[in-house]
Amino acid sequence: MSEHGDDDNHGNSVAAWVMVGTVLVASAIMAIAMIFPNVPLFVGGVVLVIVGLVAGKVLALAGYGINGDVARSDTNLS
């Protein structure tokens, strides 16, 4: 097995959770749009995916990512 000394958090940050949660909800919306053929609902899901990706990146740049200022100052993170 390989050693990963500095890789112990596996993306546990506000930015990562917001992005993953938003993309997961968007994927479910798009799946529903495929089951019940509905183009506007599918397009809404695609837009929500883009919003989630942008939100994750903006939060990471604002310091809520793994190595962000906010994440480093929060002593409750383990």
Side-chain angles (χ1 to χ4, degrees), residues 2-70:
S2 63
E3 297 285 331
H4 296 289
D6 292 335
D7 191 23
D8 60 348
N9 50 21
H10 301 287
N12 290 331
S13 69
V14 174
W17 281 106
V18 167
M19 191 271 306
V20 169
T22 307
V23 171
L24 185 63
V25 169
S27 298
I29 290 171
M30 289 188 298
I32 291 169
M34 294 297 289
I35 294 169
F36 305 107
N38 191 336
V39 174
L41 189 61
F42 187 82
V43 171
V46 171
V47 169
L48 194 57
V49 166
I50 295 168
V51 167
L53 294 174
V54 170
K57 186 62 176 177
V58 168
L59 283 170
L61 291 173
Y64 289 93
I66 291 299
N67 295 320
D69 294 334
V70 177

